[in-house]
Amino acid sequence: MQRDEIISWLRQDDPSALERLWRLADTVRQENVGGEVHLRGLIEISSYCGRSCAYCGLRIENALIRRFRMSEGEILECAHEARRLGYGTVVLQSGEDFALDAGKVARLIRRIKNELPGMAVTLSLGEREPEELALWRESGADRYLLRFETSNRELYDRIHPGLGDKPSDRFLILRGLRELGYEIGSGALIGIPGQSYSDLAEDVLAFDRLDLDMIGSGPFIPHPDTPLGGLNGAEVPRAENQVPNDELTAYKVIALTRIVCPRANIPSTTALAVLNRESGRELGLRRGANVVMPNLTPRQYRGLYTIYPGKTCLNEVENYPGAIREKIEAIGRTAGTGRGDSPRHAAPAMN
Ligand code: SAH
């Protein structure tokens, strides 16, 4: 698909045309990655963050939230819970917390790998040093998630400042992760103030160029205590062709991502479920996605990991472990039983 075609799909609002897009994405998904939905248990291990991202509630300037950092024992307990629920992967996510030192994380990865043979470990700990990423890979980590957020460099610099005099280059880090042998995941924020349709189309094309194993994009949800959420928000210039941060645009991005990157693992993201609690997850799965990441963060911390508001409303559904499987089966799919490794680099099916 070319850039202009992606843009015209992103602008499409005719229901019957969109119905064709959803059907095409669903067919491409079925033919390339099948009917399994892989479940990844998300553990939000720390809300401390040293960065100043204009979109994120965990930014260092936000003094209104209570910070937490889980102990190794607590994290292991969550990983065991993932196994009890039959999940093949745990995702460890945090703010950019430099007190999570490389050695501690390495020991944690080794313990998960020892205590839970066969469990895949995905890290989503932000921009860390190449030596740290190498150590974690050697310790057994399988995958790393690092969204590039937007491929428009100017917009990115505005919403994601570097650290001190070190500029942020997530494309460079992703290449390094690939060389270390990680499966790599990335994605974009949809509807950032200042993001145009053509910016978002470039993001979709970048997914393909980066040869990603996993691609998770979600709608931008304004957080009131951040610059993009009202706090000095008036200073943010809107793009002339501003992309909406709505549910429909998020489905379009999932569908187009599936068509452009047929063999990638694509989650139906939590942010989408926040916009439509009733059926956002399922609709994402029916429009190209094949992964869900249920939240396993312990109750006492869950409400504190406020990258954006509204997440906590999802607790009740997810606390009932059977619910997600039932929803998956209700749309004619099956919950994956293995690790759900990247199909991108597996041998193509013979027939
Ligand atoms: N510190 C890690 C993990 C951050 S949370 C990192 O930066 O990679 C994971 C993702 O949440 C981010 O990459 C971002 O795309 C998303 N996110 C943050 N704030 C958000 C918001 N206000 N609305 C929607 N998604 C948001």
Side-chain angles (χ1 to χ4, degrees):
M1 228 188 246
Q2 304 291 313
R3 185 167 163 274
D4 287 349
E5 197 183 345
I6 296 175
I7 293 177
S8 73
W9 276 119
L10 291 172
R11 289 179 173 280
Q12 182 61 257
D13 55 11
D14 172 47
S16 65
L18 287 173
E19 205 47 55
R20 284 203 310 278
L21 180 67
W22 313 145
R23 263 205 306 274
L24 176 61
D26 200 45
T27 304
V28 172
R29 190 267 312 147
Q30 183 64 35
E31 283 173 357
N32 285 276
V33 297
E36 282 196 336
V37 175
H38 304 295
L39 297 168
R40 328 282 205 203
L42 177 65
I43 311 172
E44 297 155 332
I45 65 175
S46 165
S47 68
Y48 284 90
C49 188
R51 303 300 290 261
S52 303
C53 304
Y55 45 86
C56 183
L58 301 186
R59 67 202 306 269
I60 189 168
E61 291 82 0
N62 187 1
L64 299 173
I65 58 169
R66 192 150 62 81
R67 308 273 173 172
F68 72 93
R69 184 179 298 117
M70 287 172 66
S71 70
E72 183 172 297
E74 288 172 323
I75 299 168
L76 279 161
E77 181 42 47
C78 290
H80 280 272
E81 175 69 3
R83 164 81 21 114
R84 280 193 289 276
L85 294 170
Y87 302 171
T89 300
V90 287
V91 181
L92 310 182
Q93 192 180 83
S94 70
E96 233 160 87
D97 176 4
F98 293 96
L100 278 179
D101 76 66
K104 268 195 242 168
V105 175
R107 195 178 65 179
L108 171 65
I109 296 164
R110 283 195 302 268
R111 284 196 64 186
I112 295 175
K113 289 294 198 171
N114 283 336
E115 293 181 24
L116 298 163
M119 179 69 79
V121 173
T122 301
L123 303 177
S124 175
L125 308 177
E127 298 163 38
R128 303 288 300 237
E129 294 301 325
E131 309 79 61
E132 300 179 313
L133 300 172
L135 173 67
W136 298 339
R137 175 74 188 134
E138 284 157 25
S139 306
D142 300 276
R143 312 181 184 132
Y144 206 98
L145 297 182
L146 190 72
R147 288 184 175 176
F148 60 75
E149 318 293 2
T150 171
S151 57
N152 175 333
R153 183 73 222 190
E154 199 190 318
L155 177 61
Y156 181 73
D157 287 339
R158 206 182 313 138
I159 65 167
H160 192 106
L163 195 58
D165 54 4
K166 192 164 158 256
S168 164
D169 188 343
R170 290 192 162 200
F171 292 104
L172 183 71
I173 300 173
L174 285 165
R175 274 201 297 281
L177 288 163
R178 166 69 84 211
E179 278 160 24
L180 289 168
Y182 283 96
E183 280 187 20
I184 55 171
S186 194
L189 274 171
I190 302 162
I192 309 161
Q195 184 183 40
S196 69
Y197 282 99
S198 110
D199 291 335
L200 188 55
E202 290 295 345
D203 295 345
V204 174
L205 293 172
F207 298 156
D208 180 38
R209 243 188 349 264
L210 291 167
D211 195 27
L212 299 171
D213 300 291
M214 306 163 281
I215 306 163
S217 304
F220 161 66
I221 300 176
H223 187 300
D225 306 316
T226 63
L228 291 187
L231 184 70
N232 304 326
E235 291 164 15
V236 180
R238 310 288 295 183
E240 192 177 324
N241 297 302
Q242 175 67 44
V243 177
N245 60 334
D246 63 4
E247 196 187 337
L248 187 63
T249 312
Y251 298 131
K252 291 175 186 173
V253 172
I254 290 179
L256 293 164
T257 302
R258 172 58 67 201
I259 293 163
V260 172
C261 306
R263 290 170 72 77
N265 279 328
I266 301 178
S268 185
T269 52
T270 306
L272 187 51
V274 167
L275 293 193
N276 179 349
R277 246 171 265 162
E278 197 51 49
S279 53
R281 276 238 166 78
E282 290 91 314
L283 285 172
L285 290 173
R286 294 172 63 179
R287 295 170 176 180
N290 70 323
V291 171
V292 170
M293 295 167 59
N295 195 325
L296 296 184
T297 309
R299 226 171 229 291
Q300 69 268 34
Y301 301 129
R302 235 184 246 197
L304 303 177
Y305 194 80
T306 45
I307 48 181
Y308 49 78
K311 278 173 70 221
T312 40
C313 313
L314 298 170
N315 284 358
E316 295 315 313
V317 186
E318 290 181 338
N319 278 339
Y320 159 45
I324 284 173
R325 279 171 197 279
E326 279 173 21
K327 287 190 169 189
I328 289 169
E329 282 161 19
I331 57 168
R333 306 272 282 278
T334 54
T337 47
R339 295 172 19 131
D341 283 321
S342 172
R344 272 190 68 49
H345 301 281
M350 306 271 285
N351 63 10

